[in-house]
């Protein structure tokens, strides 16, 4: 299950070559569709774009009549204009580039224990509690139910969502809800999704009262009288946006939340559980540069992505291998998604789309992708102007199938690139598969693929045995392209619980995950490298088995979600009586708001913290983890966040548990058995092991002259403990473990 929101590129098109070079490929496709539609009804549409302006060429206000500058950061401006004016705007001397048309689609009790949030919320070991008071939590997402009881204050007298907005379509038109009555009258902008409701609940849900919960005897330690699934910052104020997740809408939402926080004089955290593998991964695209500017005023947390075990990236050095071929794979019945290929410099490469017989390997049809103009392939029944037709295509794919493609030298980073968007549904009995053939003379190529259906790069024509001459992709640069901004925090996920409760009174366990072991990084966590060379993600937080609020509208429609709900209550909220539901989800989408809420606690203690200081605090105090593979080590980043130690370091107090953040335990292996835990240190002849509670109390100890010590955990309350092991050579290593 991927509960993470992906970027799906829309469509655009033809014009003068010079103006086209200033227009992003996704915007070019969208323009092509609008201007070449038989009805031309889309040509009057209004779009919101990120426009890069040369301040020395002309004043930013000197654009075109009818254009509206919505907001500005540095050389970048959010500009609204009629789509049929795109090329005219691009031709202005002060316009460097225009970018629009990418749409993002939506990508706790045990969690609080796992990363030591509970002591901070309760004030254990501190002079006071920290719950996010005086801090604004912001977000742009989809599937928001703002009247869920989880978002109300402790006595249920008021909703802590004090402002919200919806942003629909490509025009960036925003509707604000500023009063309690306006928010109470709002239902949801997307009844098919609960993503925003779940994410916001992790970040700042505050409900900690009575409700109906699972009562299965297997759920030891779960109080059936209360809902322990409140969020990380339960007293924070929330400013939430929801709607269509185009990059420009996301930017507009972040801009508005930043301005509101600044006007209120409050620190702010902005959560983005959205992402895209598609993009240059060098931070030069307009979205990343705009978010870099916003990151100077508020802390932005963004998900690493959920492609850490998928073949979504592909690399090649043309100097070594002049030609490479890769098969486009898919997990669904269709090929639906986007592929981008980037060279390391402006050196052009040649790229063709081939349709290959999976049984014989013969190429049935091949078409070269042109430079700086749109190639639109479709069924011959499509009367869109400028479309390319072929009988092979007609016999292979449905009448609605199409491909948009183009190449260019990017106007901002001077790198040669190609972009292709696929919407191909094969006809019954079809044996053709799409293949990319890419050849060049110089430069290092990076290709990326993305879709909800699992579009990837493969080396098999049949889906089984590899075929000679084809190269498969890998996840080594699967990291979210939207995490390439300078001033952001990138978050990965790990598993903090295996068993979770359900309203039917039973307990359920994760299955189907290779990494389904408490304390391990989630295999789906994307990873890679930032433009500055920083390994991403920065660190990990609980992201599998996280229970949070569900949208009542989605839960009512989706039997799967309703069945997985963990607690529900009929309670009056304002003038409305409703059922409030909680449920479990997994993804880096869940880990990111966990960190965002944690940052709110730190900002309550010190509102002057900037992104560099916050990242350093969380990195230096993270519980170090050793990956089972080199890739997994990268996925961990600095380790598992430890909010207790981060807060203690911030306020100048020593760690509650001495040595909890010792060096990475490369020699330490821990095995859990019913009623005991075995700790082994490779190469040591004497081992002393001690188990501490979160509060620092000794819970169990053992000593042996061998290399393994066994501690009894019988009778210990369930929760997070710290295992400290001392080896014969005097080294001390620690690891957090969960006892269920």
């Amino acid at each position: 299950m991927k509960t993470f929101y992906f970027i799906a590129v829309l469509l655009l098109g033809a014009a003068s070559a010079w103006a086209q070079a200033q227009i992003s490929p996704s915007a070019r496709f969208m323009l092509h569709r609008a201007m070449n539609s038989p009805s031309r009804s889309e040509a009057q549409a209004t779009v919101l774009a990120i426009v890069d302006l040369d301040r020395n060429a002309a004043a930013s206000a000197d654009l075109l009549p009818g254009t509206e500058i919505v907001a500005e950061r540095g050389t970048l401006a959010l500009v609204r204009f009629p789509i049929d004016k795109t090329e005219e705007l691009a031709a202005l001397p002060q316009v460097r580039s225009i970018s629009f048309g990418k749409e993002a689609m939506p990508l706790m009790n045990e969690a609080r224990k796992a990363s030591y949030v509970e002591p901070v919320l309760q004030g254990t070991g501190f002079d006071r509690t920290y719950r996010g008071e005086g801090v604004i939590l912001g977000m742009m997402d989809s599937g928001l139910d703002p009247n869920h009881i989880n978002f109300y204050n402790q006595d249920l007298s008021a909703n802590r969502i004090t402002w919200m907005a919806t942003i629909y379509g490509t025009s960036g038109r925003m509707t604000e809800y500023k009063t309690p009555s306006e928010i109470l009258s709002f239902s949801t902008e997307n009844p098919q999704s609960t993503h925003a409701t779940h994410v916001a609940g992790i970040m700042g849900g505050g409900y900690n009262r009575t409700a109906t919960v699972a009562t299965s005897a297997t759920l030891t330690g779960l109080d059936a009288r209360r809902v322990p699934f409140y969020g990380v910052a339960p007293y924070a104020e929330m400013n939430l946006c929801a709607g269509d997740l185009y990059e420009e809408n996301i930017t507009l939402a972040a801009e508005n939340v930043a301005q509101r926080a600044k006007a209120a004089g409050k620190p702010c955290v902005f959560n983005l559980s959205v992402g895209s593998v598609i993009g240059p991964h060098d931070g030069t695209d307009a979205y990343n540069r705009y978010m870099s500017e916003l990151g100077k005023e508020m802390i932005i947390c963004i998900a690493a992505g959920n492609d850490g075990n998928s073949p979504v990236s592909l690399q090649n050095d043309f100097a070594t291998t002049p030609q490479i071929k890769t098969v486009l794979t898919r997990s669904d019945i269709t090929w639906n998604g986007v592929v981008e290929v980037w060279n390391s410099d402006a050196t052009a490469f040649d790229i063709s789309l081939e349709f290959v017989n999976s049984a014989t390997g013969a190429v049935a049809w091949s078409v070269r992708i042109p430079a700086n103009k749109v190639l639109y392939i479709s069924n011959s029944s499509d009367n869109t102007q400028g479309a390319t037709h072929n009988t092979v295509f007609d016999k292979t794919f449905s009448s609605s199938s199409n491909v948009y493609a183009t190449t260019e030298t990017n106007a901002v980073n001077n790198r040669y690139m190609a972009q292709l968007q696929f919407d191909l549904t094969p006809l019954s009995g079809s044996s053709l598969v799409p293949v990319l053939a890419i050849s060049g003379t110089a430069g290092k190529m990076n290709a990326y693929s993305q879709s909800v259906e699992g579009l990837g790069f493969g080396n098999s024509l049949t889906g089984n045995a590899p075929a000679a001459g084809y190269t498969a992709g890998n996840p080594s640069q699967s990291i979210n392209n939207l995490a390439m901004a300078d001033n952001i925090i990138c978050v990965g996920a790990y598993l903090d619980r295996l068993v979770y409760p359900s309203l039917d009174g039973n307990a359920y366990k994760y299955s189907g995950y290779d990494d389904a072991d408490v304390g391990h990084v989630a295999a789906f966590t994307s990873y890679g490298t930032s433009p500055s060379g920083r390994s991403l993600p920065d660190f990990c937080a609980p992201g599998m088995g996280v229970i949070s609020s569900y949208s009542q509208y989605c839960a009512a429609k989706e039997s799967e979600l309703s069945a997985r709900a963990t607690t529900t209550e009929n309670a009056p909220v304002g003038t409305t009586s409703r059922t409030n539901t909680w449920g479990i989800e997994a993804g880096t989408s869940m880990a990111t708001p966990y960190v965002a809420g944690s940052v709110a606690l730190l900002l309550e203690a010190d509102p002057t913290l900037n992104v560099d200081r916050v990242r350093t605090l969380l990195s230096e105090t993270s519980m170090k983890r050793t990956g089972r593979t080199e890739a997994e080590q990268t996925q961990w980043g600095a380790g598992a966040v430890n909010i207790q130690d981060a807060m203690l370091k911030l306020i100048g107090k020593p760690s509650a548990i001495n040595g909890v953040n010792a060096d990475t335990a490369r020699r330490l292996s821990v095995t859990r058995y019913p009623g005991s835990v075995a700790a082994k240190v490779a190469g040591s002849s004497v081992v002393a092991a001690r188990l501490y509670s979160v509060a620092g109390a000794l819970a169990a100890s053992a000593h042996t002259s061998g290399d393994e010590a066994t501690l009894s955990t019988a009778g210990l309350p369930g929760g997070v403990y710290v295992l400290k092991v001392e080896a014969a050579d005097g080294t001390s290593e620690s690891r957090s473990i969960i006892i269920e």
Side-chain angles (χ1 to χ4, degrees):
M1 174 187 63
K2 290 192 174 184
T3 56
F4 181 79
Y5 287 56
F6 299 108
I7 295 292
V9 182
L10 292 182
L11 324 172
L12 175 212
S16 67
W18 190 88
Q20 284 281 314
Q22 315 304 112
I23 304 170
S24 70
S26 56
R28 198 178 304 164
F29 292 160
M30 192 170 175
L31 178 61
H32 181 278
R33 184 177 68 178
M35 302 307 293
N36 291 284
S37 170
S39 66
R40 291 184 59 83
S41 60
E42 296 180 64
Q44 283 73 47
T46 300
V47 294
L48 181 71
I50 304 177
V51 179
D52 191 358
L53 297 168
D54 183 351
R55 301 300 191 189
N56 296 321
S60 62
D62 297 334
L63 294 177
L64 295 175
T67 58
E68 176 191 358
I69 296 178
V70 179
E72 295 182 80
R73 294 271 170 175
T75 66
L76 298 168
L78 282 168
V79 181
R80 187 178 289 119
F81 56 88
I83 194 171
D84 61 359
K85 298 294 184 182
T86 302
E87 291 179 286
E88 189 178 350
L89 184 63
L92 294 177
Q94 66 267 38
V95 174
R96 289 170 170 160
S97 66
I98 299 176
S99 176
F100 62 87
K102 286 187 177 181
E103 184 184 7
M105 298 188 305
L107 266 242
M108 283 239 310
N109 57 334
E110 295 299 323
R112 293 195 310 272
K113 293 178 185 177
S115 291
Y116 300 97
V117 166
E118 205 67 52
V120 180
L121 296 177
Q122 303 303 327
T124 306
F126 298 90
D127 297 331
R128 47 161 294 192
T129 61
Y130 295 94
R131 299 176 182 178
E133 291 183 87
V135 180
I136 291 178
L137 292 173
M139 180 185 76
M140 178 64 181
D141 215 303
S142 179
L144 178 63
D145 176 1
N147 292 299
H148 195 290
I149 203 169
N150 202 24
F151 304 135
Y152 276 65
N153 58 17
Q154 300 301 299
D155 62 4
L156 305 185
S157 62
N159 197 325
R160 290 186 297 113
I161 301 176
T162 58
W163 174 88
M164 62 165 287
T166 57
I167 311 175
Y168 295 115
T170 59
S171 66
R173 298 291 182 185
M174 186 171 70
T175 302
E176 296 181 80
Y177 300 81
K178 302 178 181 180
T179 67
S181 61
E182 289 176 344
I183 294 173
L184 185 62
S185 68
F186 184 84
S187 57
T188 181
E189 96 297 346
N190 184 359
Q192 307 305 319
S193 174
T194 188
H195 195 272
T197 309
H198 199 271
V199 166
I202 297 169
M203 185 169 59
Y207 188 75
N208 187 23
R209 299 162 68 92
T210 59
T212 302
V213 300
T215 57
S216 170
T218 61
L219 302 177
T220 57
L222 184 62
D223 188 340
R225 297 167 300 171
R226 301 186 72 82
V227 179
F229 307 132
Y230 52 90
V232 181
Y235 281 58
E237 178 184 352
M238 290 190 277
N239 287 185
L240 308 181
C241 297
D244 295 329
L245 298 173
Y246 292 91
E247 286 184 356
E248 297 72 45
N249 292 353
I250 296 169
T251 307
L252 180 62
E255 177 69 55
N256 273 269
V257 172
Q259 290 180 9
R260 288 182 57 81
K262 185 175 182 179
K266 296 180 178 180
C268 179
V269 189
F270 194 79
N271 182 83
L272 284 174
S273 290
V274 303
S276 172
V277 181
I278 298 302
H281 286 72
D282 61 8
T284 61
D285 53 292
Y287 171 89
N288 272 298
R289 286 184 290 142
Y290 203 109
M291 296 304 285
S292 291
E293 291 298 315
L294 283 170
K296 297 175 182 178
E297 292 188 8
M298 62 181 178
I299 311 298
I300 300 173
C301 299
I302 189 165
N306 293 348
D307 292 300
N309 52 2
S310 302
V312 295
S313 68
L314 180 64
Q315 302 79 36
N316 183 56
D317 188 340
F318 288 123
T320 303
T321 308
Q323 185 182 63
I324 187 172
K325 284 191 175 186
T326 188
V327 181
L328 294 183
T329 63
R330 86 278 193 206
S331 59
D332 201 1
I333 60 172
T334 64
W335 285 276
N336 185 297
V338 184
V339 170
E340 281 191 357
V341 184
W342 289 83
N343 209 355
S344 54
D345 55 31
T347 306
F349 51 77
D350 190 86
I351 179 168
S352 297
L353 176 61
E354 299 180 348
F355 296 94
V356 178
N357 188 303
S358 59
T360 66
V363 178
W365 182 42
S366 177
V367 57
R368 184 176 180 273
I369 311 304
N372 289 316
K373 70 175 185 177
V374 169
L375 170 69
Y376 175 55
I377 304 171
S378 65
N379 189 279
S380 57
S381 62
D382 182 1
N383 60 357
T384 298
Q385 297 179 37
T388 296
H389 304 306
N390 187 278
T391 55
V392 170
F393 192 91
D394 290 351
K395 294 177 181 178
T396 304
F397 303 105
S398 69
S399 60
S400 61
S401 295
N402 60 74
V403 179
Y404 277 87
T406 191
T407 65
E408 68 169 24
T409 301
N410 186 269
V412 177
N413 59 24
N414 199 36
R415 293 171 60 189
Y416 195 76
M417 63 86 65
Q419 186 185 95
L420 302 91
Q421 176 177 326
F422 297 90
D423 188 358
L424 301 175
T425 301
L427 297 173
S428 178
S430 170
S431 61
L432 298 187
V433 296
V435 166
L436 290 181
I438 311 165
S439 58
T441 58
K444 294 181 179 180
M445 179 204 85
N446 276 280
Y448 309 96
S449 67
Q450 178 164 292
S451 77
V452 175
E453 286 76 21
L455 191 71
F457 302 118
N459 61 357
S460 174
L461 294 171
T462 62
N464 298 310
Y470 293 96
T471 304
N474 57 73
S476 66
Q477 276 297 319
S478 57
I479 191 68
N480 182 2
N481 178 68
L482 302 188
M484 296 296 105
D486 287 336
N487 300 309
I488 59 96
I489 290 171
C490 181
V491 185
Y494 71 91
L495 176 63
D496 68 282
R497 71 185 301 161
L498 264 178
V499 179
Y500 56 90
S502 180
L503 280 176
D504 60 13
N506 294 316
Y508 295 93
K509 184 176 181 179
Y510 268 111
S511 62
Y513 287 90
D514 294 336
D515 66 326
D517 189 15
V518 171
H520 282 290
V521 71
F524 56 69
T525 294
S526 295
Y527 59 100
T529 306
S530 76
S532 63
R534 192 171 91 247
S535 180
L536 297 175
D538 292 308
F539 31 69
C540 289
M544 291 183 70
V546 181
I547 297 174
S548 184
S549 36
Y550 265 23
S551 165
Q552 73 164 353
Y553 308 98
C554 183
K557 291 177 177 293
E558 301 290 337
S559 59
E560 178 192 2
L561 298 181
S562 182
R564 288 168 49 228
T566 53
T567 180
T568 186
E569 176 186 16
N570 292 317
V573 179
T575 59
T576 304
S577 180
R578 54 169 286 156
T579 297
N580 300 280
T581 305
W582 283 254
I584 193 166
E585 295 288 349
T588 55
S589 282
M590 284 61 248
T592 308
Y594 188 95
V595 171
S598 301
V599 172
L601 305 183
L602 298 175
L603 287 173
E604 181 184 356
D606 184 354
T608 68
L609 291 174
N610 61 23
V611 64
D612 290 334
R613 178 65 176 138
V614 169
R615 188 192 296 117
T616 298
L617 269 173
L618 292 175
S619 296
E620 291 181 348
T621 57
S622 285
M623 296 173 283
K624 309 308 176 186
R625 293 290 185 264
T626 301
R628 293 166 289 189
T629 65
E630 183 177 348
E632 190 175 292
Q633 189 67 46
T634 303
Q635 288 173 298
W636 268 119
V641 291
N642 182 331
I643 310 309
Q644 181 185 24
D645 273 10
M647 183 65 78
L648 288 167
K649 184 166 186 174
L650 174 63
I651 65 177
K653 285 191 173 184
S655 170
I657 307 169
N658 186 32
V660 68
N661 290 308
D663 292 338
T664 304
R666 298 187 181 277
R667 298 184 300 153
L668 175 62
S669 60
V670 178
T671 306
R672 287 172 296 168
Y673 302 99
S676 66
V677 172
K680 182 176 181 178
V681 179
S684 177
S685 58
V686 178
V687 175
R690 296 177 178 85
L691 194 65
Y692 295 90
S693 69
V694 172
L698 182 65
S701 63
H703 187 278
T704 180
S705 58
D707 62 357
E708 184 176 83
T710 300
L711 300 89
S712 174
T713 59
L716 292 180
V720 177
Y721 290 79
V722 175
L723 176 65
K724 183 176 180 180
V725 179
E726 297 175 3
D729 60 6
T731 60
S732 175
E733 297 170 342
S734 300
R735 180 173 297 179
S736 65
I737 62 171
I738 297 176
I739 296 176
E740 297 179 340

